[in-house]
């Protein structure tokens, strides 16, 4: 019956969430060691009560978090207009898109701890461009990735083995632990900048879904070639054909990770 079907569906969603958020040995091992390396390099760590460490003037600067969703292409003109008046933060693969549109973000956020973050950033094609950008990431970020950017700022996210380990060495009471910095890099960015209590915080291109199965990211991103053709079948490879209620459409396509993100 409808009641049982709904309950079973909800249970399945919760099981997927628990499995996808669970830790495992390799992730914990590399997270602990890579965090140590970045700390030893002298990366500053987010301290507690971060908003109180800023002036009201600093908190009045608008913050714009830029995701790599298909709607980003429609927002480029607006981004250019406010780039000198706001803090622009690129999230994950949005970095190359902004580079292609000749926009240099103030910060770039990464969340993955494997070396893919180095590979994706390298596809930008200009290491001089990367050296103009500050990296904002969480514990476990790959040290090779850190070397690409002007400087690095570190924060700890809740629920990580490396967080438990290193906050037992560093006084946990002096740190701000991010409680909602998962599963996507946009969640990390939103959690971090929300802790600073900015007066204005905008999300651009953080779509978490798409109307067209062939247009799942910005056309200027590394998912497409110069002709706008897919480099590989993103939807089938990522099981990204879940249908959910849309914000401006009756339904849109998404994937499980984006549902958790929302």
């Amino acid at each position: 019956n409808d009641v049982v079907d709904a309950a079973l569906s909800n249970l399945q969603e919760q099981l997927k969430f628990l499995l996808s958020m669970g830790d495992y040995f390799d992730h914990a091992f590399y997270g602990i060691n890579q965090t140590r390396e970045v700390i030893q390099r002298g990366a500053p760590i987010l301290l507690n009560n971060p908003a109180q460490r800023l002036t009201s003037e600093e908190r009045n600067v608008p913050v714009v978090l830029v995701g790599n969703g298909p709607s980003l292409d429609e927002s480029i003109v607006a981004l250019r207009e406010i780039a000198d008046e706001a803090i622009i933060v690129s999230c994950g693969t949005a970095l190359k898109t902004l580079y292609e549109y000749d926009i240099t973000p103030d910060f770039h956020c990464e969340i993955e701890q494997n070396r893919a973050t180095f590979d994706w950033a390298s596809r930008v094609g200009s290491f001089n461009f990367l050296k103009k950008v500050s990296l904002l990431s969480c514990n476990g970020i790959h040290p090779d990735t850190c070397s690409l950017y002007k400087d690095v700022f570190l924060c700890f996210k809740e629920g990580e083995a490396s967080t438990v380990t290193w906050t037992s060495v560093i006084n946990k009471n002096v740190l701000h632990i991010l409680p909602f910095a998962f599963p996507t890099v946009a969640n990390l960015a939103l959690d971090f900048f929300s802790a600073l209590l900015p007066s204005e915080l905008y999300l651009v291109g953080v779509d978490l879904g798409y109307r067209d199965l062939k247009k799942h990211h910005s056309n200027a991103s590394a998912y497409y070639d110069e002709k706008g053709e897919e480099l590989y079948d993103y939807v089938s490879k990522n099981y990204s054909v879940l249908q959910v209620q849309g914000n401006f459409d009756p339904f849109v396509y998404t994937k499980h990770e984006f549902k958790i993100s929302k």
Side-chain angles (χ1 to χ4, degrees):
N1 60 53
D2 291 343
V3 175
V4 175
D5 286 345
L8 285 172
S9 177
N10 184 57
L11 175 61
Q12 288 175 331
E13 287 292 316
Q14 292 300 318
L15 288 173
K16 289 179 184 177
F17 176 81
L18 289 171
L19 288 170
S20 61
M21 290 295 102
D23 209 349
Y24 52 95
F25 178 82
D26 286 348
H27 185 268
F29 177 82
Y30 287 108
I32 291 169
N33 282 281
Q34 289 171 192
T35 300
R36 176 182 61 187
E37 173 64 24
V38 177
I39 290 174
Q40 287 178 335
R41 291 185 183 187
I45 303 173
L46 182 65
L47 301 179
N48 60 11
N49 300 317
Q52 296 180 17
R53 301 173 189 273
L54 300 176
T55 65
S56 58
E57 183 179 5
E58 289 168 335
R59 292 202 304 272
N60 280 333
V61 179
V63 177
V64 183
L65 309 182
V66 183
N68 198 26
S71 71
L72 178 56
D73 294 325
E74 304 164 12
S75 307
I76 293 301
V77 173
L79 275 179
R80 285 202 182 106
E81 289 177 352
I82 65 171
D84 293 334
E85 303 170 6
I87 295 172
I88 306 296
V89 184
S90 66
C91 297
T93 58
L95 184 62
K96 184 178 186 298
T97 304
L98 293 182
Y99 171 75
E100 295 295 336
Y101 282 119
D102 197 27
I103 297 174
T104 303
D106 300 286
F107 293 93
H108 174 63
C109 283
E110 291 285 4
I111 193 173
E112 301 292 340
Q113 73 176 33
N114 59 51
R115 202 173 181 271
T117 52
F118 177 92
D119 298 333
W120 276 100
S122 299
R123 295 183 71 178
V124 167
S126 172
F127 291 103
N128 289 332
F129 170 79
L130 297 178
K131 284 297 182 182
K132 298 177 183 177
V133 181
S134 296
L135 176 66
L136 173 64
S137 191
C138 52
N139 46 301
I141 184 68
H142 201 287
D144 288 355
T145 301
C146 297
S147 301
L148 293 173
Y149 297 90
K150 178 174 67 175
D151 42 26
V152 180
F153 298 93
L154 197 67
C155 52
F156 282 95
K157 64 173 180 171
E158 197 171 66
E160 295 280 313
S162 53
T163 300
V164 175
T165 301
W166 288 106
T167 54
S168 67
V169 177
I170 306 166
N171 185 355
K172 184 178 181 179
N173 294 326
V174 304
L175 302 176
H176 179 82
I177 309 298
L178 299 178
F180 306 115
F182 61 87
T184 72
V185 64
N187 291 100
L188 167 66
L190 182 60
D191 200 359
F192 174 86
F193 283 97
S194 294
L196 304 182
L197 300 180
S199 60
E200 298 177 66
L201 182 60
Y202 299 93
L203 296 158
V204 175
V206 185
D207 299 345
L208 302 181
Y210 27 86
R211 300 164 174 165
D212 185 341
L213 291 176
K214 293 294 182 181
K215 186 171 169 53
H216 38 76
H217 289 85
S218 163
N219 282 335
S221 69
Y223 291 95
Y224 301 92
D225 61 20
E226 294 80 3
K227 297 179 181 180
E229 299 293 328
E230 284 185 296
L231 294 177
Y232 66 95
D233 192 339
Y234 173 88
V235 170
S236 64
K237 188 172 182 179
N238 290 275
Y239 306 101
S240 305
V241 290
L242 295 174
Q243 288 190 4
V244 295
Q245 182 178 351
N247 193 18
F248 302 109
D249 295 273
F251 73 90
V252 295
Y253 299 103
T254 190
K255 59 180 181 177
H256 182 66
E257 183 184 21
F258 287 164
K259 289 183 70 177
I260 298 174
S261 176
K262 173 179 177 293

